[in-house]
Amino acid sequence: MKFKITLAICFLTILFGFSAFKMDDDPFTLLLKKLDDYTSKFPQEKVHIHLDKPYYAIGDDIWFKGYVVDAKTAAPAQMSKVLYVELINEKDSIKKQVKLPLISGITWGDFKLTDSLSEGNYRIRAYTNYMRNFGTEFFFDKTIKIGNSWANKVFTKTDYTFTKENSTDKVVANIHFEDKNGVAYKENEVSYDVQLDYKSVAKGKTKTSLSGDAVINFTSSQLLANKSGRIVATLTLDNKQKVVKTIPITSTSNDVDVQFLPEGGSLIENLPQKIAVKSVNSTGRGEDIKGAIVDETGIEITSFETTYLGMGSFVFNSQPGKNYTVKIKFKDGSSKDYKLPYAQKTGYTLAVNNLDTAKVAVKIMASESLVNGSELKVVAQQYGNVFYVSKAKMDKQVLMASIPKKNLPIGVVQFTLFSATNQPVAERLVFINNAVDLINVNLNTSAVSTARKGKSTFSFEATNQNKPVLSSFSVAVTNATKVTPDEDNETNILSSLLLTSDLTGYIEKPNHYFQNNDLKTMKELDNLLLTQGWSRFLWRNIAAGNGPAITYKHENSITISGTVKKGGKPVPGGKVMLMATKGSFFILDTVTNVDGKFVFDNLTFPDSTKFVVQARTKTERKFVDISLDVVPNQIVTKNKNSGDIEVNVNNSLMKYIKESDNYFNEMTRLGLLERTIKLEEVTITEKKNPAKNSANLNGAGRADYIMTADDLTTCITLSQCLQGRLPGVIFRGNTPYLMRSQDTPMQIILDGMRVEADFLDNIIPSDVESIELLKTIGNTAIYGSQGGGGVLVITTKRGGGSASYNHYAPGVVTLNPKGFSVSREFYAPKYDGEVNNNRADLRTTIYWNPQVVAENDGKGKFEFFNADEPGQYRVVMEGIDAFGHLARKVYTYDVK
């Protein structure tokens, strides 16, 4: 069973010299034991988020269900029980974060999108605290498009053209400005700031033409070539209102990068090898090419062309003493020459043929000088679980083996060839499509209604190997006529957990490889693994017994812990009480250990709960110091999925968001949606105070103005605390602006991490230790273009600030740790036949249910009412059972 096998060795029929591996105490067996110990100690958790539709409009909510799977075991006791999900904007700033409890590896939640949110390319990022030990590369990270027409007056469409002069890339951006009805903004003033990797490279002013176009020119030096960035364009309307639009720059040239990757890792002379080709343009997407390989005399040896997303392969035999050039032709007619990778004089090659539906063929070749009878080993493993091991003596130049796929697990499997000294000399990843590891969902659609507002009832049976399974499903139903799915580019439970979570970098159109199981798709998937194959661990680390440093533990619950000291020395046996005073109510007590440490675990409380921690010595003395343990925030890295970034978000979603307008307006009329109310501008002054513990890049306390925790005790929201009290700052709603720069919101730095200006009221005032205002050029310059509108540096008590929290009395501190977010219930109307409901039902998302359960008999059921609009309705089911088997089912029906 998947996720349950710790060490399974398959004894298979071996051809041409391979012998089945037998367990003994030789060095290789010890290496395998170290591998098993390594992966037992450091299992790798995976996260998948089921999103209800591929893009969103302002007024929609993002509903999601999360699955966390442990690569070593599906047992809940060995998995984290807390999941963090974040909504991140194009500036790599966190807009929203929710903390969710995991039950048996499953949870669900939502983000509410307000009409004040600007359109753009946003990211959904999800991870557990334990996953942070292994870096952000394997976090769930999905780019989504959010459009805004409901509260938007200006729409843009941008086209880029590129030219090159010497080593400088010249870029021309043509930005078209129009309103929702397509009427151009003519002869309006536009100011702009072009930023590449957060550095401003061009600023200026221009005017739109009679057709509503503004042309912006900028250059990218070699230092910034192919960097991403943005154009911040401010359009002044006829009524003098200024509208700021942020337009992504996905590339600064037409350059295409081409790589040649020999199968197994190294190119070896005199051995025929498959060489994979990967061609990627400057936006990060694959671009198909044609090429020919010629020797130094100009004679063509072979030719090739990529077949899908710039990937392909060809067989080549590098001859001694020869130099080879690859002549590439690009789709625009241009050409370029490349050199093939250097060929080693001697070595081994590992070739894997995975195109047979029943078996995997493995072929090992060696240089003539290495045909000396030395013993080689081949290991096939997934997540550290070994599924195949064989030894063979290299007494001939070619050795072959055939492995039945039924003995290999579904997903990415790594084949490694070891030398006689147990050094890995070649590696290859393959994808095994083993349906035995999937849940079969038999859907009964006999009670599905095709009428508007009709009741549709679905019953289903979930089985694995013809046996019923207890499993949990997420179900989303959308009107696909209005919400057109991009099926190839969908991120779903299969593409995420089986493929992209095991590969680094950007994977373009991941679901394409799961749409069909034909020979063409199998070849395309094999080319992906030949070019982007990567292993989670290094064999040399395993041999040395070196694992990753485990800084962050599995979170089984919310924990509050710390240390009690008196006179700088730990207080053993001290009495500590934890009391919830807001949002919930309970009292717990404990005693400190010999090191003065205490812990309250297994806590469950909602977000915004306020606590008081009180400590005493054994003899009830109050004058003690309490320091609470702090877990630093996870930094936001750059978006790795650059190929999914859409330059013209609103334009690409226009059909959908225009149709959504009717729904939003109807919901507003009924009082079910709220519009943002912006407050009048307020001017503020206050005096200066020191701050000792901030992450201010100028140095702690070097600011134009400082507020401390004492100034923040009489308000509910942070924007309330600050309005009228920061010199030279005004507020629009809850967003701060410098008076001299009213088009650019201030940059908020929270505990060293960038967040958006409207994130301010997500910060609880009693959590804050200090706020530093940076507004003069001397203080903002260090923040580059991000500081152009001023900076607020906020340091929280739990974010690494002072040990002096809010002290109401000696030995007492208050804190507001982040609690669990309460998930809202998805609203779906019910139409009773006895009630005549004439209200228009214009929903695009018809139904969403994160917890549809198939009981022990494998049977489950869900039902809903159709909306009031015709179209093709699309039902998507995704699920998992207790053994880690996965399920995905898509069904469509027409409503007339």
Side-chain angles (χ1 to χ4, degrees), residues 82 158 174 224 355 388 396 401 467 665 751 788 845:
V82 179
T158 304
N174 187 86
L224 293 172
L355 300 182
Y388 171 77
K396 57 187 72 174
K467 295 179 181 178
N665 290 332
D751 296 330
T845 300

PDB file of all heavy atoms in Angstrom, residues 82 158 174 224 355 388 396 401 467 665 751 788 845:
ATOM      1  N   VAL A  82      -1.539  21.290  12.073  1.00  0.00           N
ATOM      2  CA  VAL A  82      -1.813  22.713  11.878  1.00  0.00           C
ATOM      3  C   VAL A  82      -1.335  23.093  10.478  1.00  0.00           C
ATOM      4  O   VAL A  82      -0.204  22.790  10.095  1.00  0.00           O
ATOM      5  CB  VAL A  82      -1.101  23.579  12.936  1.00  0.00           C
ATOM      6  CG1 VAL A  82      -1.395  25.055  12.689  1.00  0.00           C
ATOM      7  CG2 VAL A  82      -1.529  23.188  14.347  1.00  0.00           C
ATOM      8  N   THR A 158      -1.889  45.726 -21.985  1.00  0.00           N
ATOM      9  CA  THR A 158      -0.499  46.099 -22.248  1.00  0.00           C
ATOM     10  C   THR A 158       0.149  45.119 -23.206  1.00  0.00           C
ATOM     11  O   THR A 158       0.012  43.898 -23.057  1.00  0.00           O
ATOM     12  CB  THR A 158       0.296  46.134 -20.932  1.00  0.00           C
ATOM     13  OG1 THR A 158      -0.347  47.036 -20.018  1.00  0.00           O
ATOM     14  CG2 THR A 158       1.723  46.596 -21.166  1.00  0.00           C
ATOM     15  N   ASN A 174       3.243  49.382 -24.529  1.00  0.00           N
ATOM     16  CA  ASN A 174       2.089  50.144 -25.001  1.00  0.00           C
ATOM     17  C   ASN A 174       0.897  49.783 -24.106  1.00  0.00           C
ATOM     18  O   ASN A 174       0.393  48.664 -24.145  1.00  0.00           O
ATOM     19  CB  ASN A 174       1.782  49.819 -26.459  1.00  0.00           C
ATOM     20  CG  ASN A 174       0.698  50.720 -27.022  1.00  0.00           C
ATOM     21  OD1 ASN A 174       0.969  51.814 -27.490  1.00  0.00           O
ATOM     22  ND2 ASN A 174      -0.546  50.261 -26.984  1.00  0.00           N
ATOM     23  N   LEU A 224      20.399  43.353 -15.308  1.00  0.00           N
ATOM     24  CA  LEU A 224      18.994  43.110 -15.021  1.00  0.00           C
ATOM     25  C   LEU A 224      18.294  42.348 -16.143  1.00  0.00           C
ATOM     26  O   LEU A 224      17.079  42.286 -16.182  1.00  0.00           O
ATOM     27  CB  LEU A 224      18.271  44.437 -14.778  1.00  0.00           C
ATOM     28  CG  LEU A 224      18.675  45.214 -13.521  1.00  0.00           C
ATOM     29  CD1 LEU A 224      18.022  46.591 -13.526  1.00  0.00           C
ATOM     30  CD2 LEU A 224      18.280  44.458 -12.267  1.00  0.00           C
ATOM     31  N   LEU A 355       7.758   3.462 -21.569  1.00  0.00           N
ATOM     32  CA  LEU A 355       6.615   3.616 -22.462  1.00  0.00           C
ATOM     33  C   LEU A 355       5.726   2.387 -22.521  1.00  0.00           C
ATOM     34  O   LEU A 355       4.595   2.464 -23.008  1.00  0.00           O
ATOM     35  CB  LEU A 355       7.099   3.980 -23.869  1.00  0.00           C
ATOM     36  CG  LEU A 355       7.905   5.289 -23.963  1.00  0.00           C
ATOM     37  CD1 LEU A 355       8.293   5.568 -25.401  1.00  0.00           C
ATOM     38  CD2 LEU A 355       7.117   6.454 -23.380  1.00  0.00           C
ATOM     39  N   TYR A 388      12.733  -1.610  -5.304  1.00  0.00           N
ATOM     40  CA  TYR A 388      13.474  -2.538  -6.164  1.00  0.00           C
ATOM     41  C   TYR A 388      14.964  -2.336  -5.933  1.00  0.00           C
ATOM     42  O   TYR A 388      15.452  -1.205  -5.904  1.00  0.00           O
ATOM     43  CB  TYR A 388      13.141  -2.281  -7.636  1.00  0.00           C
ATOM     44  CG  TYR A 388      14.015  -3.035  -8.618  1.00  0.00           C
ATOM     45  CD1 TYR A 388      13.816  -4.390  -8.862  1.00  0.00           C
ATOM     46  CD2 TYR A 388      15.038  -2.382  -9.296  1.00  0.00           C
ATOM     47  CE1 TYR A 388      14.609  -5.068  -9.758  1.00  0.00           C
ATOM     48  CE2 TYR A 388      15.840  -3.054 -10.199  1.00  0.00           C
ATOM     49  CZ  TYR A 388      15.623  -4.395 -10.428  1.00  0.00           C
ATOM     50  OH  TYR A 388      16.411  -5.075 -11.314  1.00  0.00           O
ATOM     51  N   LYS A 396      29.927  -7.576 -19.055  1.00  0.00           N
ATOM     52  CA  LYS A 396      29.648  -7.293 -20.463  1.00  0.00           C
ATOM     53  C   LYS A 396      29.274  -5.820 -20.559  1.00  0.00           C
ATOM     54  O   LYS A 396      28.976  -5.186 -19.546  1.00  0.00           O
ATOM     55  CB  LYS A 396      28.551  -8.197 -20.994  1.00  0.00           C
ATOM     56  CG  LYS A 396      27.258  -8.123 -20.222  1.00  0.00           C
ATOM     57  CD  LYS A 396      26.256  -9.173 -20.694  1.00  0.00           C
ATOM     58  CE  LYS A 396      26.706 -10.556 -20.241  1.00  0.00           C
ATOM     59  NZ  LYS A 396      25.707 -11.597 -20.538  1.00  0.00           N
ATOM     60  N   ALA A 401      17.337  -5.131 -17.523  1.00  0.00           N
ATOM     61  CA  ALA A 401      16.389  -5.695 -16.560  1.00  0.00           C
ATOM     62  C   ALA A 401      14.997  -5.229 -16.918  1.00  0.00           C
ATOM     63  O   ALA A 401      14.811  -4.154 -17.516  1.00  0.00           O
ATOM     64  CB  ALA A 401      16.741  -5.264 -15.138  1.00  0.00           C
ATOM     65  N   LYS A 467     -12.719  -2.994  -3.586  1.00  0.00           N
ATOM     66  CA  LYS A 467     -13.158  -3.025  -2.201  1.00  0.00           C
ATOM     67  C   LYS A 467     -13.578  -1.623  -1.773  1.00  0.00           C
ATOM     68  O   LYS A 467     -12.900  -0.638  -2.103  1.00  0.00           O
ATOM     69  CB  LYS A 467     -12.027  -3.517  -1.289  1.00  0.00           C
ATOM     70  CG  LYS A 467     -11.626  -4.967  -1.553  1.00  0.00           C
ATOM     71  CD  LYS A 467     -10.479  -5.384  -0.642  1.00  0.00           C
ATOM     72  CE  LYS A 467     -10.057  -6.828  -0.927  1.00  0.00           C
ATOM     73  NZ  LYS A 467      -8.905  -7.229  -0.078  1.00  0.00           N
ATOM     74  N   ASN A 665     -24.234  42.784  -8.206  1.00  0.00           N
ATOM     75  CA  ASN A 665     -25.200  43.864  -8.033  1.00  0.00           C
ATOM     76  C   ASN A 665     -26.489  43.367  -7.392  1.00  0.00           C
ATOM     77  O   ASN A 665     -27.088  44.050  -6.553  1.00  0.00           O
ATOM     78  CB  ASN A 665     -25.499  44.525  -9.384  1.00  0.00           C
ATOM     79  CG  ASN A 665     -24.319  45.322  -9.915  1.00  0.00           C
ATOM     80  OD1 ASN A 665     -23.504  45.822  -9.138  1.00  0.00           O
ATOM     81  ND2 ASN A 665     -24.198  45.421 -11.232  1.00  0.00           N
ATOM     82  N   ASP A 751       7.638  42.835  11.384  1.00  0.00           N
ATOM     83  CA  ASP A 751       8.662  41.898  11.866  1.00  0.00           C
ATOM     84  C   ASP A 751       9.614  41.498  10.743  1.00  0.00           C
ATOM     85  O   ASP A 751       9.968  40.337  10.570  1.00  0.00           O
ATOM     86  CB  ASP A 751       8.028  40.644  12.470  1.00  0.00           C
ATOM     87  CG  ASP A 751       7.212  40.955  13.699  1.00  0.00           C
ATOM     88  OD1 ASP A 751       7.551  41.928  14.398  1.00  0.00           O
ATOM     89  OD2 ASP A 751       6.230  40.247  13.973  1.00  0.00           O
ATOM     90  N   GLY A 788       9.086  54.480  -1.622  1.00  0.00           N
ATOM     91  CA  GLY A 788       8.722  55.732  -2.253  1.00  0.00           C
ATOM     92  C   GLY A 788       7.520  56.414  -1.620  1.00  0.00           C
ATOM     93  O   GLY A 788       7.412  57.632  -1.616  1.00  0.00           O
ATOM     94  N   THR A 845     -20.482  29.824  -9.021  1.00  0.00           N
ATOM     95  CA  THR A 845     -20.175  28.632  -8.246  1.00  0.00           C
ATOM     96  C   THR A 845     -21.494  28.125  -7.671  1.00  0.00           C
ATOM     97  O   THR A 845     -22.116  28.788  -6.839  1.00  0.00           O
ATOM     98  CB  THR A 845     -19.180  28.921  -7.118  1.00  0.00           C
ATOM     99  OG1 THR A 845     -17.969  29.420  -7.675  1.00  0.00           O
ATOM    100  CG2 THR A 845     -18.861  27.656  -6.340  1.00  0.00           C
TER     101      THR A 845
END
